[in-house]
Amino acid sequence: MGRGKLRIYLGAAPGVGKTYAMLSEAHRRIERGTDCVVGFVEHHNRPRTEVMLHGLELIQRREIGYRGGTFTEMDVDAILARRPAVALVDELAHTNVPGSRNAKRWQDVEELLQAGIDVVSTVNIQHLESLGDVVETITGVRQRETVPDEVARRADQIELVDMSPQALRRRMAHGNVYKPDKVDAALSNYFRPGNLTALRELALLWVADRVDEYLQEYRGEHNIRSTWQARERIVVGLTGGPEGRTLIRRAARLAEKGAGGEVLAVYIAASDGLTSASPKELAVQRTLVEDLGGTFHHVIGDHVPDALLEFARGCNATQIVLGVSRRRSWQSVFRPGVSATVARESGPDLDVHIVTHDQAAKGRGLPTARGTRLGRSRVIWGWLTGIVGPALLAVLLNQVVPDLGLANDMLLFLTFTVAAALLGGLLPALASAAFGSLLLNYFFTPPLHEFTISDPKNIVAIVIFVGVAVSVASVVDLAARRTHQAARLRAESEILSFLAGSVLRGENSLDALLERLRETFAMQSVALLERTSDVDPWTTAASVGISPAARPEEADVDLPIGDTMALALTGRVLPAEDRRVLGAFAAQAAVVLDRQRLVDEAGKARELAEGSRIRTALLAAVSHDLRTPLAGIKASVTSLRSDDVEWSEEDRAELLEGIEDGADRLAALIGNLLDMSRLNTGTVVPLIRETDLDEVVPMALGGVPEDSVDLDIPETLPMVAVDRGLLERAVANIVENAVKYSPAGQPVNVSASALGSRVELRVVDRGPGVPDEAKDRIFEPFQRHGDAPRGAGVGLGLAVARGFTDAIGGTLTAEDTPGGGLTMVLTLPVAGGTPPVTAEPPTAAFT
């Protein structure tokens, strides 16, 4: 039998019409012939909602007695016996009256779904667990009844029942939601227009996120790459320059114009050499985009426009924001910039915004990965300018202006030599000077069209031309190289400054440092290796990227750090000049690793100090708590051994009972102390195996009076994967603590239920309860809440219970009991992830 389907009507506030919409859906299904029943619907005396119940089959509610009163709850057993196709269950987040089959109504719904029954339910946005703090901030009211977000997200259908705040307030004013005597108070408090608007926005955004999840799943399943403009996603292309901050802010303003807009900042790093971006500036921009609610992404690609478009289409973006190119205007003649290329190739599904900024057309301030070496394209252009340019010039001067004069001809040829030096360096300039001198000799010095010179003055002119050309080319080449070197050194100094700043700031994330190193050099992976001696194998201290090297010999670049450490990079071979910056990264990585280990040692030292504190607290606690039962035992034994008094059989039995009670208290105290010692020393090694709760829990109740606990453990629960001994000790401590604080005549309720791959054991007492701020503190050692009397224990029971629960892979939390008291929730994993089996309801057992 398959699992039933869950449909949820979600509202922003009470009164928007969730229940009415659910009942309307039921009438539509009945008209189509669907077997539909009302499991639980609360109409709150609203006439129009009550009318909608006419014609629907109602399942009789179950009556439960509690604290002298009678309450009604949904009868899960009756619905399971009736087995309709669809059941209507109102108020999904409702907390059931103690004594019900489950503590929460959503757990009842889970049972119906497991039985193959479709469920239609309702819930308000303020009842979702993750939004509790947000709703409390908005309305000032803390929602005690909540439903886990996971339950709502697993729903097959979620329909938003929407209503404007003004319409809802009019509905309330007309008496359609609350009784007339409560309308004024509601309108002036919870149902203020601001509160309703904020709650409505929460509901709309939550549903929009859910719809977005469905959309992403569908696009992935059908391999859809084109952009569907269902939601504004704005990609910001960053270069690492200062204009990036302007682009990010501009994109954030664009996103604010449409509700639910999302900003994704992406930096495309070339896969060859040092990036042209300042790591410091990129870090600032990463912080800025995250502060504005966006995300930062780092992508490596050989062709920046293609990589940017691929990223934008992969995340279903609708807009791209780019800055006006920082390249000089004349550079666009040879090659269009990234902005122009992206705008041309974006297609009709992507809008490209090109934003002006202060750095436009000012040139790039940082060097490229090539450092002091000129790129291949520049060298090619240098050779073309130095060789082809003079040849074309010679043809032009011969055909168009043949009588310009030798001096002017030499100056024109010298221009191409200087241009060759600027583009391609010294060698193309020297070749241009030599080739230009030959052309001058052949075409412009008598005798023409011969490689001879008749006039000595022309010989001197040619020699001067060659000398000037070589000198100018050398100076221009040297200046260009010095400019590149200065720019590279500036980039290196920024990197080193950033590394030094990270030391001063105390940053100790080794993975973040290695990731920054990988991004800076555009490598595939980076690994920090270490070994204890020259003969020992290498071990990986930290690594980032894909397929990091396990030994220095396997890396494309390896850099030793002392005698026992090495930095291994894969992806490409770095030039020698890059090793200076690489050495700085390596030194910083070693420092960060040492700092991490010092932090770990400091943590161990704190643990030792905490252990010392616990021992001190232990001595202070047991000085009275252990002495009290010992004193009672000593007094009883002394009285029995006394010859001065003739004790009756009743008196003797009473003294012996006192000795037995004192011994039991001592055994319990010492047992908890030994358990806490095992937890602190890490010697608790659980033996996990499949176990039935109905076999373990009754064994844990031997230390409490027989009439102090109501036990309800269904035999049909799935088996749990736990250590039986540790679970028994944990349950015993929890139950003993609950019995200790429960008032006389109010037994503790111990019940269990299954939910998916988990089983929950709930221990419910009717005691004074615990405030929210103390719920975590009660699980700390030597903590006794409230006015617990001395001699009632050293405050280790719940600490030991949580420690054992963590050891077996479960969780132990404290919740308020509806109507007063404290509920301990022990969650355990189902053995093998087996879902619970729906069966006939078990009968309660009493211990």
mmCIF file with all atom_site columns, all heavy atoms in Angstrom, residues 321-342:
data_model
loop_
_atom_site.group_PDB
_atom_site.id
_atom_site.type_symbol
_atom_site.label_atom_id
_atom_site.label_alt_id
_atom_site.label_comp_id
_atom_site.label_asym_id
_atom_site.label_entity_id
_atom_site.label_seq_id
_atom_site.pdbx_PDB_ins_code
_atom_site.Cartn_x
_atom_site.Cartn_y
_atom_site.Cartn_z
_atom_site.occupancy
_atom_site.B_iso_or_equiv
_atom_site.pdbx_formal_charge
_atom_site.auth_seq_id
_atom_site.auth_comp_id
_atom_site.auth_asym_id
_atom_site.auth_atom_id
_atom_site.pdbx_PDB_model_num
ATOM 1   N N   . VAL A 1 321 ? 24.624 41.951 -14.813 1.00 0.00 ? 321 VAL A N   1
ATOM 2   C CA  . VAL A 1 321 ? 25.097 43.318 -14.603 1.00 0.00 ? 321 VAL A CA  1
ATOM 3   C C   . VAL A 1 321 ? 26.612 43.325 -14.778 1.00 0.00 ? 321 VAL A C   1
ATOM 4   O O   . VAL A 1 321 ? 27.333 42.595 -14.088 1.00 0.00 ? 321 VAL A O   1
ATOM 5   C CB  . VAL A 1 321 ? 24.720 43.834 -13.197 1.00 0.00 ? 321 VAL A CB  1
ATOM 6   C CG1 . VAL A 1 321 ? 25.339 45.208 -12.948 1.00 0.00 ? 321 VAL A CG1 1
ATOM 7   C CG2 . VAL A 1 321 ? 23.208 43.908 -13.059 1.00 0.00 ? 321 VAL A CG2 1
ATOM 8   N N   . LEU A 1 322 ? 27.089 44.139 -15.735 1.00 0.00 ? 322 LEU A N   1
ATOM 9   C CA  . LEU A 1 322 ? 28.509 44.263 -16.014 1.00 0.00 ? 322 LEU A CA  1
ATOM 10  C C   . LEU A 1 322 ? 28.898 45.733 -16.000 1.00 0.00 ? 322 LEU A C   1
ATOM 11  O O   . LEU A 1 322 ? 28.054 46.617 -16.203 1.00 0.00 ? 322 LEU A O   1
ATOM 12  C CB  . LEU A 1 322 ? 28.860 43.641 -17.371 1.00 0.00 ? 322 LEU A CB  1
ATOM 13  C CG  . LEU A 1 322 ? 28.585 42.150 -17.546 1.00 0.00 ? 322 LEU A CG  1
ATOM 14  C CD1 . LEU A 1 322 ? 28.819 41.749 -18.988 1.00 0.00 ? 322 LEU A CD1 1
ATOM 15  C CD2 . LEU A 1 322 ? 29.483 41.333 -16.623 1.00 0.00 ? 322 LEU A CD2 1
ATOM 16  N N   . GLY A 1 323 ? 30.158 45.995 -15.785 1.00 0.00 ? 323 GLY A N   1
ATOM 17  C CA  . GLY A 1 323 ? 30.655 47.356 -15.819 1.00 0.00 ? 323 GLY A CA  1
ATOM 18  C C   . GLY A 1 323 ? 31.216 47.709 -17.185 1.00 0.00 ? 323 GLY A C   1
ATOM 19  O O   . GLY A 1 323 ? 31.635 46.834 -17.961 1.00 0.00 ? 323 GLY A O   1
ATOM 20  N N   . VAL A 1 324 ? 31.213 49.003 -17.496 1.00 0.00 ? 324 VAL A N   1
ATOM 21  C CA  . VAL A 1 324 ? 31.871 49.465 -18.711 1.00 0.00 ? 324 VAL A CA  1
ATOM 22  C C   . VAL A 1 324 ? 33.339 49.067 -18.643 1.00 0.00 ? 324 VAL A C   1
ATOM 23  O O   . VAL A 1 324 ? 33.980 49.138 -17.592 1.00 0.00 ? 324 VAL A O   1
ATOM 24  C CB  . VAL A 1 324 ? 31.718 50.989 -18.849 1.00 0.00 ? 324 VAL A CB  1
ATOM 25  C CG1 . VAL A 1 324 ? 32.519 51.515 -20.023 1.00 0.00 ? 324 VAL A CG1 1
ATOM 26  C CG2 . VAL A 1 324 ? 30.250 51.350 -19.011 1.00 0.00 ? 324 VAL A CG2 1
ATOM 27  N N   . SER A 1 325 ? 33.892 48.614 -19.754 1.00 0.00 ? 325 SER A N   1
ATOM 28  C CA  . SER A 1 325 ? 35.245 48.079 -19.766 1.00 0.00 ? 325 SER A CA  1
ATOM 29  C C   . SER A 1 325 ? 36.256 49.103 -19.265 1.00 0.00 ? 325 SER A C   1
ATOM 30  O O   . SER A 1 325 ? 36.171 50.302 -19.561 1.00 0.00 ? 325 SER A O   1
ATOM 31  C CB  . SER A 1 325 ? 35.623 47.641 -21.188 1.00 0.00 ? 325 SER A CB  1
ATOM 32  O OG  . SER A 1 325 ? 36.953 47.178 -21.211 1.00 0.00 ? 325 SER A OG  1
ATOM 33  N N   . ARG A 1 326 ? 37.213 48.600 -18.475 1.00 0.00 ? 326 ARG A N   1
ATOM 34  C CA  . ARG A 1 326 ? 38.310 49.450 -18.015 1.00 0.00 ? 326 ARG A CA  1
ATOM 35  C C   . ARG A 1 326 ? 39.423 49.557 -19.048 1.00 0.00 ? 326 ARG A C   1
ATOM 36  O O   . ARG A 1 326 ? 40.397 50.274 -18.837 1.00 0.00 ? 326 ARG A O   1
ATOM 37  C CB  . ARG A 1 326 ? 38.882 48.886 -16.705 1.00 0.00 ? 326 ARG A CB  1
ATOM 38  C CG  . ARG A 1 326 ? 37.997 49.122 -15.500 1.00 0.00 ? 326 ARG A CG  1
ATOM 39  C CD  . ARG A 1 326 ? 38.682 48.677 -14.238 1.00 0.00 ? 326 ARG A CD  1
ATOM 40  N NE  . ARG A 1 326 ? 38.807 47.234 -14.152 1.00 0.00 ? 326 ARG A NE  1
ATOM 41  C CZ  . ARG A 1 326 ? 39.819 46.595 -13.574 1.00 0.00 ? 326 ARG A CZ  1
ATOM 42  N NH1 . ARG A 1 326 ? 40.813 47.266 -13.067 1.00 0.00 ? 326 ARG A NH1 1
ATOM 43  N NH2 . ARG A 1 326 ? 39.838 45.283 -13.527 1.00 0.00 ? 326 ARG A NH2 1
ATOM 44  N N   . ARG A 1 327 ? 39.296 48.814 -20.147 1.00 0.00 ? 327 ARG A N   1
ATOM 45  C CA  . ARG A 1 327 ? 40.323 48.859 -21.183 1.00 0.00 ? 327 ARG A CA  1
ATOM 46  C C   . ARG A 1 327 ? 40.282 50.201 -21.906 1.00 0.00 ? 327 ARG A C   1
ATOM 47  O O   . ARG A 1 327 ? 39.256 50.866 -22.013 1.00 0.00 ? 327 ARG A O   1
ATOM 48  C CB  . ARG A 1 327 ? 40.114 47.723 -22.179 1.00 0.00 ? 327 ARG A CB  1
ATOM 49  C CG  . ARG A 1 327 ? 40.114 46.360 -21.526 1.00 0.00 ? 327 ARG A CG  1
ATOM 50  C CD  . ARG A 1 327 ? 39.579 45.302 -22.449 1.00 0.00 ? 327 ARG A CD  1
ATOM 51  N NE  . ARG A 1 327 ? 40.488 45.029 -23.545 1.00 0.00 ? 327 ARG A NE  1
ATOM 52  C CZ  . ARG A 1 327 ? 40.099 44.806 -24.782 1.00 0.00 ? 327 ARG A CZ  1
ATOM 53  N NH1 . ARG A 1 327 ? 38.831 44.889 -25.096 1.00 0.00 ? 327 ARG A NH1 1
ATOM 54  N NH2 . ARG A 1 327 ? 40.981 44.543 -25.718 1.00 0.00 ? 327 ARG A NH2 1
ATOM 55  N N   . ARG A 1 328 ? 41.456 50.606 -22.430 1.00 0.00 ? 328 ARG A N   1
ATOM 56  C CA  . ARG A 1 328 ? 41.525 51.843 -23.197 1.00 0.00 ? 328 ARG A CA  1
ATOM 57  C C   . ARG A 1 328 ? 40.650 51.726 -24.453 1.00 0.00 ? 328 ARG A C   1
ATOM 58  O O   . ARG A 1 328 ? 40.425 50.639 -24.982 1.00 0.00 ? 328 ARG A O   1
ATOM 59  C CB  . ARG A 1 328 ? 42.972 52.120 -23.613 1.00 0.00 ? 328 ARG A CB  1
ATOM 60  C CG  . ARG A 1 328 ? 43.951 52.167 -22.457 1.00 0.00 ? 328 ARG A CG  1
ATOM 61  C CD  . ARG A 1 328 ? 43.736 53.381 -21.585 1.00 0.00 ? 328 ARG A CD  1
ATOM 62  N NE  . ARG A 1 328 ? 44.761 53.471 -20.556 1.00 0.00 ? 328 ARG A NE  1
ATOM 63  C CZ  . ARG A 1 328 ? 44.807 54.403 -19.613 1.00 0.00 ? 328 ARG A CZ  1
ATOM 64  N NH1 . ARG A 1 328 ? 43.876 55.334 -19.575 1.00 0.00 ? 328 ARG A NH1 1
ATOM 65  N NH2 . ARG A 1 328 ? 45.761 54.409 -18.717 1.00 0.00 ? 328 ARG A NH2 1
ATOM 66  N N   . SER A 1 329 ? 40.182 52.866 -24.932 1.00 0.00 ? 329 SER A N   1
ATOM 67  C CA  . SER A 1 329 ? 39.275 52.853 -26.079 1.00 0.00 ? 329 SER A CA  1
ATOM 68  C C   . SER A 1 329 ? 39.935 52.282 -27.325 1.00 0.00 ? 329 SER A C   1
ATOM 69  O O   . SER A 1 329 ? 39.304 51.581 -28.119 1.00 0.00 ? 329 SER A O   1
ATOM 70  C CB  . SER A 1 329 ? 38.779 54.275 -26.352 1.00 0.00 ? 329 SER A CB  1
ATOM 71  O OG  . SER A 1 329 ? 39.879 55.147 -26.556 1.00 0.00 ? 329 SER A OG  1
ATOM 72  N N   . TRP A 1 330 ? 41.255 52.522 -27.481 1.00 0.00 ? 330 TRP A N   1
ATOM 73  C CA  . TRP A 1 330 ? 41.917 52.012 -28.682 1.00 0.00 ? 330 TRP A CA  1
ATOM 74  C C   . TRP A 1 330 ? 42.066 50.496 -28.649 1.00 0.00 ? 330 TRP A C   1
ATOM 75  O O   . TRP A 1 330 ? 42.193 49.860 -29.690 1.00 0.00 ? 330 TRP A O   1
ATOM 76  C CB  . TRP A 1 330 ? 43.287 52.668 -28.861 1.00 0.00 ? 330 TRP A CB  1
ATOM 77  C CG  . TRP A 1 330 ? 44.252 52.402 -27.728 1.00 0.00 ? 330 TRP A CG  1
ATOM 78  C CD1 . TRP A 1 330 ? 44.445 53.158 -26.619 1.00 0.00 ? 330 TRP A CD1 1
ATOM 79  C CD2 . TRP A 1 330 ? 45.153 51.287 -27.615 1.00 0.00 ? 330 TRP A CD2 1
ATOM 80  N NE1 . TRP A 1 330 ? 45.399 52.609 -25.809 1.00 0.00 ? 330 TRP A NE1 1
ATOM 81  C CE2 . TRP A 1 330 ? 45.863 51.448 -26.406 1.00 0.00 ? 330 TRP A CE2 1
ATOM 82  C CE3 . TRP A 1 330 ? 45.432 50.167 -28.426 1.00 0.00 ? 330 TRP A CE3 1
ATOM 83  C CZ2 . TRP A 1 330 ? 46.819 50.552 -25.971 1.00 0.00 ? 330 TRP A CZ2 1
ATOM 84  C CZ3 . TRP A 1 330 ? 46.394 49.271 -27.995 1.00 0.00 ? 330 TRP A CZ3 1
ATOM 85  C CH2 . TRP A 1 330 ? 47.073 49.463 -26.781 1.00 0.00 ? 330 TRP A CH2 1
ATOM 86  N N   . GLN A 1 331 ? 42.034 49.905 -27.424 1.00 0.00 ? 331 GLN A N   1
ATOM 87  C CA  . GLN A 1 331 ? 42.173 48.452 -27.334 1.00 0.00 ? 331 GLN A CA  1
ATOM 88  C C   . GLN A 1 331 ? 40.954 47.727 -27.886 1.00 0.00 ? 331 GLN A C   1
ATOM 89  O O   . GLN A 1 331 ? 41.047 46.580 -28.316 1.00 0.00 ? 331 GLN A O   1
ATOM 90  C CB  . GLN A 1 331 ? 42.395 48.042 -25.867 1.00 0.00 ? 331 GLN A CB  1
ATOM 91  C CG  . GLN A 1 331 ? 43.742 48.475 -25.319 1.00 0.00 ? 331 GLN A CG  1
ATOM 92  C CD  . GLN A 1 331 ? 43.893 48.088 -23.862 1.00 0.00 ? 331 GLN A CD  1
ATOM 93  O OE1 . GLN A 1 331 ? 43.164 48.571 -23.007 1.00 0.00 ? 331 GLN A OE1 1
ATOM 94  N NE2 . GLN A 1 331 ? 44.836 47.218 -23.579 1.00 0.00 ? 331 GLN A NE2 1
ATOM 95  N N   . SER A 1 332 ? 39.806 48.394 -27.888 1.00 0.00 ? 332 SER A N   1
ATOM 96  C CA  . SER A 1 332 ? 38.591 47.764 -28.413 1.00 0.00 ? 332 SER A CA  1
ATOM 97  C C   . SER A 1 332 ? 38.652 47.552 -29.912 1.00 0.00 ? 332 SER A C   1
ATOM 98  O O   . SER A 1 332 ? 37.890 46.757 -30.462 1.00 0.00 ? 332 SER A O   1
ATOM 99  C CB  . SER A 1 332 ? 37.372 48.633 -28.060 1.00 0.00 ? 332 SER A CB  1
ATOM 100 O OG  . SER A 1 332 ? 37.258 48.770 -26.656 1.00 0.00 ? 332 SER A OG  1
ATOM 101 N N   . VAL A 1 333 ? 39.583 48.275 -30.588 1.00 0.00 ? 333 VAL A N   1
ATOM 102 C CA  . VAL A 1 333 ? 39.720 48.095 -32.033 1.00 0.00 ? 333 VAL A CA  1
ATOM 103 C C   . VAL A 1 333 ? 40.228 46.703 -32.357 1.00 0.00 ? 333 VAL A C   1
ATOM 104 O O   . VAL A 1 333 ? 39.808 46.057 -33.327 1.00 0.00 ? 333 VAL A O   1
ATOM 105 C CB  . VAL A 1 333 ? 40.662 49.169 -32.603 1.00 0.00 ? 333 VAL A CB  1
ATOM 106 C CG1 . VAL A 1 333 ? 40.893 48.940 -34.086 1.00 0.00 ? 333 VAL A CG1 1
ATOM 107 C CG2 . VAL A 1 333 ? 40.087 50.564 -32.349 1.00 0.00 ? 333 VAL A CG2 1
ATOM 108 N N   . PHE A 1 334 ? 41.140 46.196 -31.512 1.00 0.00 ? 334 PHE A N   1
ATOM 109 C CA  . PHE A 1 334 ? 41.740 44.885 -31.764 1.00 0.00 ? 334 PHE A CA  1
ATOM 110 C C   . PHE A 1 334 ? 40.875 43.746 -31.227 1.00 0.00 ? 334 PHE A C   1
ATOM 111 O O   . PHE A 1 334 ? 40.832 42.666 -31.804 1.00 0.00 ? 334 PHE A O   1
ATOM 112 C CB  . PHE A 1 334 ? 43.133 44.824 -31.131 1.00 0.00 ? 334 PHE A CB  1
ATOM 113 C CG  . PHE A 1 334 ? 44.081 45.862 -31.665 1.00 0.00 ? 334 PHE A CG  1
ATOM 114 C CD1 . PHE A 1 334 ? 44.313 47.036 -30.962 1.00 0.00 ? 334 PHE A CD1 1
ATOM 115 C CD2 . PHE A 1 334 ? 44.720 45.680 -32.881 1.00 0.00 ? 334 PHE A CD2 1
ATOM 116 C CE1 . PHE A 1 334 ? 45.188 47.997 -31.443 1.00 0.00 ? 334 PHE A CE1 1
ATOM 117 C CE2 . PHE A 1 334 ? 45.592 46.627 -33.370 1.00 0.00 ? 334 PHE A CE2 1
ATOM 118 C CZ  . PHE A 1 334 ? 45.830 47.798 -32.655 1.00 0.00 ? 334 PHE A CZ  1
ATOM 119 N N   . ARG A 1 335 ? 40.206 43.976 -30.093 1.00 0.00 ? 335 ARG A N   1
ATOM 120 C CA  . ARG A 1 335 ? 39.389 42.900 -29.517 1.00 0.00 ? 335 ARG A CA  1
ATOM 121 C C   . ARG A 1 335 ? 38.294 43.515 -28.662 1.00 0.00 ? 335 ARG A C   1
ATOM 122 O O   . ARG A 1 335 ? 38.573 44.357 -27.795 1.00 0.00 ? 335 ARG A O   1
ATOM 123 C CB  . ARG A 1 335 ? 40.247 41.965 -28.655 1.00 0.00 ? 335 ARG A CB  1
ATOM 124 C CG  . ARG A 1 335 ? 39.504 40.738 -28.159 1.00 0.00 ? 335 ARG A CG  1
ATOM 125 C CD  . ARG A 1 335 ? 40.411 39.847 -27.345 1.00 0.00 ? 335 ARG A CD  1
ATOM 126 N NE  . ARG A 1 335 ? 40.884 40.515 -26.140 1.00 0.00 ? 335 ARG A NE  1
ATOM 127 C CZ  . ARG A 1 335 ? 41.709 39.963 -25.255 1.00 0.00 ? 335 ARG A CZ  1
ATOM 128 N NH1 . ARG A 1 335 ? 42.175 38.753 -25.491 1.00 0.00 ? 335 ARG A NH1 1
ATOM 129 N NH2 . ARG A 1 335 ? 42.093 40.625 -24.184 1.00 0.00 ? 335 ARG A NH2 1
ATOM 130 N N   . PRO A 1 336 ? 37.023 43.120 -28.860 1.00 0.00 ? 336 PRO A N   1
ATOM 131 C CA  . PRO A 1 336 ? 35.953 43.675 -28.036 1.00 0.00 ? 336 PRO A CA  1
ATOM 132 C C   . PRO A 1 336 ? 36.090 43.212 -26.588 1.00 0.00 ? 336 PRO A C   1
ATOM 133 O O   . PRO A 1 336 ? 36.624 42.140 -26.302 1.00 0.00 ? 336 PRO A O   1
ATOM 134 C CB  . PRO A 1 336 ? 34.679 43.124 -28.691 1.00 0.00 ? 336 PRO A CB  1
ATOM 135 C CG  . PRO A 1 336 ? 35.121 41.895 -29.401 1.00 0.00 ? 336 PRO A CG  1
ATOM 136 C CD  . PRO A 1 336 ? 36.535 42.166 -29.848 1.00 0.00 ? 336 PRO A CD  1
ATOM 137 N N   . GLY A 1 337 ? 35.613 44.031 -25.680 1.00 0.00 ? 337 GLY A N   1
ATOM 138 C CA  . GLY A 1 337 ? 35.696 43.703 -24.270 1.00 0.00 ? 337 GLY A CA  1
ATOM 139 C C   . GLY A 1 337 ? 34.694 42.644 -23.851 1.00 0.00 ? 337 GLY A C   1
ATOM 140 O O   . GLY A 1 337 ? 33.846 42.194 -24.624 1.00 0.00 ? 337 GLY A O   1
ATOM 141 N N   . VAL A 1 338 ? 34.783 42.244 -22.567 1.00 0.00 ? 338 VAL A N   1
ATOM 142 C CA  . VAL A 1 338 ? 33.889 41.219 -22.031 1.00 0.00 ? 338 VAL A CA  1
ATOM 143 C C   . VAL A 1 338 ? 32.442 41.695 -22.080 1.00 0.00 ? 338 VAL A C   1
ATOM 144 O O   . VAL A 1 338 ? 31.534 40.943 -22.456 1.00 0.00 ? 338 VAL A O   1
ATOM 145 C CB  . VAL A 1 338 ? 34.302 40.860 -20.589 1.00 0.00 ? 338 VAL A CB  1
ATOM 146 C CG1 . VAL A 1 338 ? 33.270 39.911 -19.962 1.00 0.00 ? 338 VAL A CG1 1
ATOM 147 C CG2 . VAL A 1 338 ? 35.676 40.217 -20.577 1.00 0.00 ? 338 VAL A CG2 1
ATOM 148 N N   . SER A 1 339 ? 32.204 42.949 -21.722 1.00 0.00 ? 339 SER A N   1
ATOM 149 C CA  . SER A 1 339 ? 30.835 43.463 -21.696 1.00 0.00 ? 339 SER A CA  1
ATOM 150 C C   . SER A 1 339 ? 30.190 43.385 -23.068 1.00 0.00 ? 339 SER A C   1
ATOM 151 O O   . SER A 1 339 ? 29.049 42.918 -23.206 1.00 0.00 ? 339 SER A O   1
ATOM 152 C CB  . SER A 1 339 ? 30.833 44.908 -21.193 1.00 0.00 ? 339 SER A CB  1
ATOM 153 O OG  . SER A 1 339 ? 31.410 44.998 -19.907 1.00 0.00 ? 339 SER A OG  1
ATOM 154 N N   . ALA A 1 340 ? 30.921 43.836 -24.098 1.00 0.00 ? 340 ALA A N   1
ATOM 155 C CA  . ALA A 1 340 ? 30.360 43.809 -25.449 1.00 0.00 ? 340 ALA A CA  1
ATOM 156 C C   . ALA A 1 340 ? 30.119 42.388 -25.929 1.00 0.00 ? 340 ALA A C   1
ATOM 157 O O   . ALA A 1 340 ? 29.104 42.084 -26.572 1.00 0.00 ? 340 ALA A O   1
ATOM 158 C CB  . ALA A 1 340 ? 31.297 44.540 -26.411 1.00 0.00 ? 340 ALA A CB  1
ATOM 159 N N   . THR A 1 341 ? 31.038 41.473 -25.606 1.00 0.00 ? 341 THR A N   1
ATOM 160 C CA  . THR A 1 341 ? 30.882 40.083 -26.034 1.00 0.00 ? 341 THR A CA  1
ATOM 161 C C   . THR A 1 341 ? 29.685 39.423 -25.358 1.00 0.00 ? 341 THR A C   1
ATOM 162 O O   . THR A 1 341 ? 28.893 38.717 -26.009 1.00 0.00 ? 341 THR A O   1
ATOM 163 C CB  . THR A 1 341 ? 32.160 39.289 -25.730 1.00 0.00 ? 341 THR A CB  1
ATOM 164 O OG1 . THR A 1 341 ? 33.279 39.938 -26.338 1.00 0.00 ? 341 THR A OG1 1
ATOM 165 C CG2 . THR A 1 341 ? 32.055 37.872 -26.252 1.00 0.00 ? 341 THR A CG2 1
ATOM 166 N N   . VAL A 1 342 ? 29.537 39.642 -24.047 1.00 0.00 ? 342 VAL A N   1
ATOM 167 C CA  . VAL A 1 342 ? 28.408 39.048 -23.328 1.00 0.00 ? 342 VAL A CA  1
ATOM 168 C C   . VAL A 1 342 ? 27.092 39.612 -23.842 1.00 0.00 ? 342 VAL A C   1
ATOM 169 O O   . VAL A 1 342 ? 26.116 38.878 -24.039 1.00 0.00 ? 342 VAL A O   1
ATOM 170 C CB  . VAL A 1 342 ? 28.559 39.296 -21.813 1.00 0.00 ? 342 VAL A CB  1
ATOM 171 C CG1 . VAL A 1 342 ? 27.299 38.882 -21.066 1.00 0.00 ? 342 VAL A CG1 1
ATOM 172 C CG2 . VAL A 1 342 ? 29.753 38.525 -21.271 1.00 0.00 ? 342 VAL A CG2 1
#
